[in-house]
Every structure is written in structure tokens, then in C-alpha cells.
Coordinates of all heavy atoms in Angstrom, one line a residue:
A10 N 7.8 -9.6 -8.4 CA 9.2 -9.6 -7.9 C 10.1 -10.5 -8.7 O 11.2 -10.1 -9.1 CB 9.3 -9.9 -6.4
D11 N 9.6 -11.7 -8.9 CA 10.4 -12.7 -9.6 C 10.7 -12.4 -11.1 O 11.7 -12.7 -11.6 CB 9.7 -14.1 -9.6 CG 9.8 -14.7 -8.2 OD1 10.6 -14.3 -7.4 OD2 9.0 -15.7 -7.9
R12 N 9.7 -11.7 -11.7 CA 9.8 -11.5 -13.2 C 10.1 -10.0 -13.6 O 10.6 -9.8 -14.7 CB 8.5 -11.9 -13.8 CG 8.2 -13.4 -13.7 CD 9.3 -14.3 -14.2 NE 9.0 -15.7 -14.2 CZ 8.6 -16.4 -15.2 NH1 8.3 -15.8 -16.3 NH2 8.4 -17.7 -15.1
L13 N 9.8 -9.1 -12.7 CA 9.9 -7.7 -13.1 C 10.9 -6.8 -12.4 O 11.7 -6.1 -13.0 CB 8.5 -7.0 -13.1 CG 7.4 -7.6 -14.1 CD1 6.1 -7.0 -13.8 CD2 7.9 -7.4 -15.5
I14 N 10.8 -6.8 -11.0 CA 11.5 -5.7 -10.3 C 12.5 -6.3 -9.2 O 13.3 -5.5 -8.7 CB 10.6 -4.7 -9.6 CG1 9.6 -5.4 -8.6 CG2 9.7 -4.0 -10.7 CD1 8.7 -4.5 -7.9
G15 N 12.4 -7.5 -8.9 CA 13.2 -8.1 -7.8 C 12.7 -7.9 -6.4 O 11.8 -7.0 -6.2
G16 N 13.1 -8.7 -5.5 CA 12.6 -8.7 -4.1 C 12.8 -7.4 -3.4 O 12.0 -6.9 -2.7
Q17 N 14.0 -6.8 -3.5 CA 14.3 -5.6 -2.8 C 13.4 -4.4 -3.1 O 12.8 -3.8 -2.2 CB 15.8 -5.1 -3.1 CG 16.8 -5.9 -2.3 CD 18.2 -5.2 -2.4 OE1 18.3 -4.1 -2.7 NE2 19.2 -6.0 -2.2
K18 N 13.2 -4.2 -4.4 CA 12.3 -3.1 -4.8 C 10.8 -3.5 -4.5 O 10.0 -2.5 -4.1 CB 12.4 -2.9 -6.3 CG 13.7 -2.2 -6.7 CD 13.7 -2.0 -8.2 CE 15.1 -1.3 -8.6 NZ 15.1 -1.1 -10.1
A19 N 10.4 -4.7 -4.5 CA 9.1 -5.1 -4.2 C 8.8 -4.8 -2.7 O 7.7 -4.3 -2.4 CB 8.9 -6.6 -4.4
V20 N 9.7 -5.1 -1.9 CA 9.6 -4.8 -0.4 C 9.5 -3.3 -0.2 O 8.7 -2.8 0.5 CB 10.7 -5.4 0.4 CG1 10.7 -4.9 1.8 CG2 10.6 -6.9 0.4
W21 N 10.4 -2.5 -0.9 CA 10.5 -1.1 -0.7 C 9.2 -0.4 -1.2 O 8.6 0.4 -0.4 CB 11.7 -0.5 -1.5 CG 11.8 1.0 -1.6 CD1 11.6 1.7 -2.7 CD2 12.1 1.9 -0.5 NE1 11.7 3.1 -2.4 CE2 12.0 3.2 -1.1 CE3 12.3 1.7 0.8 CZ2 12.3 4.3 -0.3 CZ3 12.6 2.9 1.6 CH2 12.5 4.1 1.0
Y22 N 8.8 -0.7 -2.4 CA 7.6 -0.1 -2.9 C 6.3 -0.6 -2.2 O 5.4 0.2 -1.9 CB 7.4 -0.3 -4.4 CG 8.5 0.4 -5.2 CD1 9.3 -0.2 -6.1 CD2 8.6 1.8 -5.1 CE1 10.3 0.4 -6.8 CE2 9.6 2.5 -5.9 CZ 10.4 1.8 -6.7 OH 11.4 2.5 -7.4
G23 N 6.3 -1.8 -1.8 CA 5.2 -2.4 -1.0 C 5.0 -1.7 0.3 O 3.9 -1.3 0.7
A24 N 6.2 -1.4 1.0 CA 6.1 -0.7 2.3 C 5.6 0.7 2.1 O 4.9 1.2 2.9 CB 7.5 -0.7 2.9
I25 N 6.0 1.4 1.0 CA 5.6 2.8 0.8 C 4.1 2.8 0.6 O 3.3 3.6 1.1 CB 6.3 3.4 -0.4 CG1 7.8 3.6 -0.1 CG2 5.6 4.7 -0.9 CD1 8.6 4.0 -1.3
I26 N 3.6 1.8 -0.2 CA 2.1 1.7 -0.5 C 1.4 1.5 0.8 O 0.3 2.1 1.0 CB 1.9 0.7 -1.6 CG1 2.5 1.1 -2.9 CG2 0.4 0.4 -1.8 CD1 2.5 0.0 -4.0
I27 N 1.9 0.5 1.6 CA 1.2 0.2 2.9 C 1.1 1.5 3.7 O 0.1 1.8 4.3 CB 2.0 -0.9 3.6 CG1 1.8 -2.2 2.9 CG2 1.5 -1.0 5.1 CD1 2.7 -3.3 3.5
M28 N 2.2 2.2 3.8 CA 2.3 3.5 4.7 C 1.2 4.5 4.2 O 0.5 5.1 4.9 CB 3.7 4.1 4.7 CG 3.8 5.3 5.5 SD 5.4 6.1 5.4 CE 5.4 6.7 3.7
I29 N 1.2 4.6 2.8 CA 0.2 5.5 2.2 C -1.2 5.1 2.6 O -2.1 5.9 2.9 CB 0.4 5.6 0.7 CG1 1.7 6.3 0.4 CG2 -0.8 6.4 0.1 CD1 2.1 6.3 -1.1
G30 N -1.5 3.8 2.5 CA -2.8 3.3 2.9 C -3.2 3.6 4.3 O -4.3 4.0 4.6
H31 N -2.2 3.4 5.2 CA -2.5 3.7 6.6 C -2.7 5.2 6.9 O -3.5 5.6 7.7 CB -1.4 3.2 7.5 CG -1.4 1.7 7.7 ND1 -2.5 1.0 8.1 CD2 -0.4 0.8 7.4 CE1 -2.2 -0.3 8.2 NE2 -0.9 -0.5 7.7
I32 N -2.0 6.0 6.1 CA -2.2 7.5 6.2 C -3.6 7.8 5.8 O -4.3 8.7 6.4 CB -1.2 8.3 5.4 CG1 0.2 8.1 6.0 CG2 -1.5 9.7 5.3 CD1 1.3 8.7 5.2
I33 N -4.1 7.2 4.7 CA -5.5 7.4 4.2 C -6.5 7.0 5.2 O -7.5 7.7 5.5 CB -5.7 6.7 2.9 CG1 -4.8 7.3 1.8 CG2 -7.2 6.8 2.4 CD1 -4.8 6.5 0.5
L34 N -6.2 5.9 5.9 CA -7.1 5.4 6.9 C -7.2 6.3 8.1 O -8.2 6.4 8.8 CB -6.7 4.0 7.4 CG -6.9 2.8 6.5 CD1 -6.1 1.6 6.9 CD2 -8.4 2.5 6.3
A35 N -6.1 7.0 8.4 CA -6.0 8.0 9.5 C -6.8 9.2 9.3 O -7.1 10.0 10.2 CB -4.6 8.3 9.8
I36 N -7.2 9.5 8.0 CA -8.0 10.6 7.7 C -9.5 10.4 8.2 O -10.1 9.4 7.8 CB -8.0 10.9 6.2 CG1 -6.6 11.2 5.7 CG2 -9.0 12.1 5.8 CD1 -6.5 11.3 4.2
P37 N -10.0 11.2 9.0 CA -11.4 11.0 9.5 C -12.5 11.2 8.5 O -13.2 12.2 8.5 CB -11.5 12.0 10.7 CG -10.6 13.1 10.3 CD -9.4 12.4 9.6
N38 N -12.5 10.3 7.5 CA -13.5 10.4 6.4 C -14.0 9.0 6.0 O -13.2 8.2 5.8 CB -12.9 11.2 5.2 CG -13.9 11.4 4.1 OD1 -14.3 10.5 3.4 ND2 -14.2 12.7 3.9
D39 N -15.3 8.9 6.0 CA -15.8 7.5 5.7 C -15.5 7.0 4.3 O -15.2 5.8 4.1 CB -17.4 7.6 5.9 CG -17.8 7.9 7.3 OD1 -16.9 7.9 8.2 OD2 -19.0 8.1 7.5
T40 N -15.5 7.9 3.3 CA -15.2 7.5 2.0 C -13.8 7.0 1.8 O -13.5 6.0 1.2 CB -15.5 8.7 1.0 OG1 -16.8 9.1 1.1 CG2 -15.2 8.2 -0.4
T41 N -12.8 7.8 2.4 CA -11.4 7.4 2.2 C -11.0 6.1 2.9 O -10.0 5.5 2.6 CB -10.5 8.6 2.6 OG1 -10.8 8.9 4.0 CG2 -10.7 9.8 1.8
F42 N -11.8 5.7 3.9 CA -11.5 4.5 4.7 C -11.4 3.3 3.8 O -10.4 2.6 3.9 CB -12.6 4.3 5.7 CG -12.5 3.0 6.5 CD1 -11.6 2.9 7.5 CD2 -13.3 1.9 6.1 CE1 -11.5 1.6 8.2 CE2 -13.1 0.7 6.8 CZ -12.2 0.6 7.8
F43 N -12.3 3.1 2.9 CA -12.3 1.9 2.0 C -11.2 2.0 1.0 O -10.6 1.0 0.6 CB -13.6 1.7 1.4 CG -14.7 1.4 2.4 CD1 -15.6 2.4 2.8 CD2 -14.8 0.1 2.9 CE1 -16.6 2.1 3.7 CE2 -15.8 -0.2 3.9 CZ -16.7 0.8 4.3
I44 N -10.9 3.3 0.6 CA -9.7 3.5 -0.3 C -8.4 3.0 0.4 O -7.6 2.4 -0.2 CB -9.6 4.9 -0.8 CG1 -10.9 5.3 -1.6 CG2 -8.4 5.2 -1.6 CD1 -10.9 6.7 -2.0
G45 N -8.3 3.4 1.6 CA -7.2 3.0 2.4 C -7.0 1.5 2.5 O -5.9 1.0 2.4
L46 N -8.1 0.8 2.7 CA -8.1 -0.6 2.8 C -7.5 -1.2 1.5 O -6.7 -2.1 1.5 CB -9.4 -1.2 3.1 CG -10.0 -1.1 4.5 CD1 -11.3 -1.8 4.6 CD2 -9.0 -1.7 5.5
I47 N -8.0 -0.7 0.4 CA -7.6 -1.3 -0.9 C -6.1 -1.0 -1.1 O -5.3 -1.9 -1.6 CB -8.4 -0.6 -2.1 CG1 -9.8 -1.0 -2.0 CG2 -7.8 -1.0 -3.4 CD1 -10.8 -0.3 -2.9
V48 N -5.6 0.2 -0.7 CA -4.2 0.5 -0.9 C -3.3 -0.4 0.0 O -2.3 -0.9 -0.4 CB -4.0 2.0 -0.6 CG1 -2.5 2.3 -0.6 CG2 -4.7 2.9 -1.6
V49 N -3.7 -0.7 1.2 CA -3.0 -1.5 2.1 C -2.9 -2.9 1.6 O -1.9 -3.6 1.6 CB -3.6 -1.5 3.5 CG1 -2.9 -2.6 4.4 CG2 -3.4 -0.2 4.2
I50 N -4.0 -3.4 1.0 CA -4.0 -4.8 0.4 C -3.0 -4.9 -0.7 O -2.2 -5.8 -0.8 CB -5.4 -5.1 -0.2 CG1 -6.4 -5.3 1.0 CG2 -5.4 -6.3 -1.1 CD1 -7.9 -5.4 0.5
L51 N -3.0 -3.9 -1.6 CA -2.0 -3.9 -2.7 C -0.6 -3.9 -2.2 O 0.3 -4.6 -2.7 CB -2.3 -2.7 -3.6 CG -3.6 -2.7 -4.4 CD1 -3.8 -1.4 -5.1 CD2 -3.8 -3.9 -5.3
G52 N -0.3 -3.0 -1.2 CA 1.1 -2.9 -0.7 C 1.5 -4.2 0.0 O 2.6 -4.7 -0.2
T53 N 0.6 -4.8 0.8 CA 0.9 -6.0 1.5 C 1.2 -7.2 0.6 O 2.1 -8.0 0.8 CB -0.2 -6.3 2.5 OG1 -0.4 -5.2 3.4 CG2 0.3 -7.5 3.4
G54 N 0.4 -7.2 -0.5 CA 0.6 -8.3 -1.5 C 1.9 -8.2 -2.1 O 2.5 -9.2 -2.5
L55 N 2.5 -7.0 -2.2 CA 3.8 -6.8 -2.9 C 4.9 -7.1 -1.9 O 6.0 -7.7 -2.2 CB 3.9 -5.4 -3.4 CG 5.0 -5.1 -4.4 CD1 4.9 -6.0 -5.6 CD2 4.9 -3.6 -4.8
L56 N 4.7 -6.7 -0.6 CA 5.8 -6.9 0.4 C 5.9 -8.3 1.0 O 7.0 -8.9 1.1 CB 5.6 -5.8 1.5 CG 6.7 -5.8 2.6 CD1 6.9 -4.4 3.1 CD2 6.2 -6.7 3.8

């Protein structure tokens, strides 16, 4: 945020990534569960 895109875009894209992660977690599949966790981590770190 400080060096590349600014806080507003960081929050916006972070929230989108978090939402995608939770959607993946909502899929009843054991494999996608851990992918969802990784995606939520990345989004939360940005937001």
C-alpha cells in the first residue's frame, strides 16, 4: 500500500480476495478448503 497502490486500493482488492477465499471455503470439498484458507490469509494481509 505504501509503495505501490495506496491504502484505498489495498483495502478494496484485499476485501475482494477475502470474499473469494470465503466462497472457496463454502464449497463442500476437502481440497478447496485449504486453498480458501490461503486466499483469505493473502486478502487479510492486504486489507
Side-chain angles (χ1 to χ4, degrees):
D11 287 343
R12 297 303 185 96
L13 295 175
I14 62 177
Q17 282 192 23
K18 289 182 179 178
V20 171
W21 172 249
Y22 291 122
I25 291 174
I26 295 170
I27 291 170
M28 183 184 68
I29 292 171
H31 287 304
I32 291 173
I33 295 172
L34 288 169
I36 300 172
N38 184 289
D39 295 352
T40 301
T41 56
F42 173 79
F43 295 102
I44 296 175
L46 283 185
I47 295 171
V48 174
V49 172
I50 289 170
L51 296 175
T53 306
L55 198 56
L56 180 147

